[in-house]
Amino acid sequence: MTVLRSSEYFPSGDFPVAIEPRYPQETFPEHHHQDFNEIVLVEQGTGTHVFNDQPLILSAGSVCFVRHRDHHLYEDTDNLHLTNVLYRSPDAFRFLSGVGDLLPQEVDGIYPAHWRINPGQVAQAKTLIDLLAQKTVSQSPESQAQQELYFMQLLLLLRKGSRDVGYGGQGGDLNNLLDWMNEHYDEEIDWPVLAERFSMSLRTLHRQMKQQTGCTPLNYLNRLRLINARNLLRFSDSSITDIAHQCGFCDSNYFSTLFKREFGYAPRNARL
Ligand code: RM4
Ligand code: NI
């Protein structure tokens, strides 16, 4: 697997943070980072992010915290624009201590790496990222302190986003619904029931889904099913029919047709 090193991306000097925009992020092979971590903020477009072997759909507002030991890749990218905020280990900061406590924490083997923030939060994060980028020129203490402050503000902002999501009960939140779908894509989905569960009308579900992911609800569901099926085709020995069923397709011929349409090759050609 490819290993990326900080010396390729960080300016010389010991800046703890570096900004690497990808406009666009093309397909990128599996890799991990030897001595840096990265925060990924998606601004537009879509793609599949395979993070520690788990495929996820990215769209505007997706955030991901990649630790140096995590491995990941991008595929199926379509006009995907993202910014990488690279940072060295928390003890590389000169003025901040305890940054590690503001990062997502792994608990019982579960690492909450991905979530989504809303368009207003994306705009605020972009402003902070632009300010951060300007500060990688001077190494004066003032300028470094300022950079570290912006980084901390960014962490707080992104964390706020993570707490808005998944704290059920507030209703009407597409992010909660997308998280739910990510867990339950293999089940039969009754759209009116699902919309009600997340306190929105079917119309709102359609509109918000289209706005935020560029997909209709059914396309989004099929994509989730297909990227998970492709993953199983690659990494398990189960038959194509079993995989189709496991991922929520009742008819494996229909599965093959959709698969070919989505990826341009037949399921059997996804086998490694
Ligand atoms: C790549 C891709 C990788 C990132 C490097 C810095 O284009 O975004 O995930 O680690 O840049
Ligand atoms: Ni990376």
Side-chain angles (χ1 to χ4, degrees), residues 94-211:
R94 182 164 160 197
F95 298 98
L96 297 180
S97 65
V99 175
D101 294 346
L102 295 176
L103 300 169
Q105 307 291 320
E106 177 164 336
V107 180
D108 297 332
I110 296 175
Y111 173 56
H114 285 85
W115 62 87
R116 295 171 55 84
I117 58 176
N118 65 41
Q121 291 167 329
V122 173
Q124 286 178 42
K126 275 292 291 170
T127 306
L128 286 169
I129 289 171
D130 290 343
L131 292 166
L132 268 166
Q134 287 167 20
K135 289 291 171 196
T136 41
V137 271
S138 156
Q139 260 188 304
S140 70
E142 290 80 3
S143 158
Q144 279 201 25
Q146 187 65 68
Q147 196 197 32
E148 294 188 13
L149 271 179
Y150 289 143
F151 182 75
M152 178 138 97
Q153 270 183 276
L154 180 67
L155 286 182
L156 290 175
L157 173 69
L158 298 178
R159 264 172 83 83
K160 193 177 164 313
S162 90
R163 267 178 287 123
D164 294 344
V165 174
Y167 276 67
Q170 77 235 36
D173 186 352
L174 187 80
N175 288 338
N176 290 333
L177 186 144
L178 294 177
D179 281 350
W180 186 92
M181 280 179 67
N182 210 27
E183 298 285 309
H184 299 269
Y185 63 85
D186 54 335
E187 297 169 16
E188 199 181 313
I189 294 197
D190 182 332
W191 297 106
V193 170
L194 187 61
E196 191 170 340
R197 184 186 178 119
F198 290 92
S199 321
M200 48 176 102
S201 69
L202 203 49
R203 266 175 78 94
T204 308
L205 194 167
H206 260 273
R207 188 173 33 82
Q208 287 202 8
M209 187 81 132
K210 191 85 195 154
Q211 250 169 22

Side-chain angles (χ1 to χ4, degrees), residues 4 9 20-22 25-26 28-29 31-33 36 38 40 49 66 72-74 82 84 86:
L4 307 184
Y9 302 105
E20 288 283 322
R22 297 286 178 265
Q25 172 74 61
E26 307 281 6
F28 196 83
H31 64 280
H32 68 94
H33 314 123
F36 65 93
E38 77 195 5
V40 182
H49 189 205
V66 185
H72 69 146
L73 62 87
Y74 297 98
L82 57 79
N84 292 311
L86 313 182

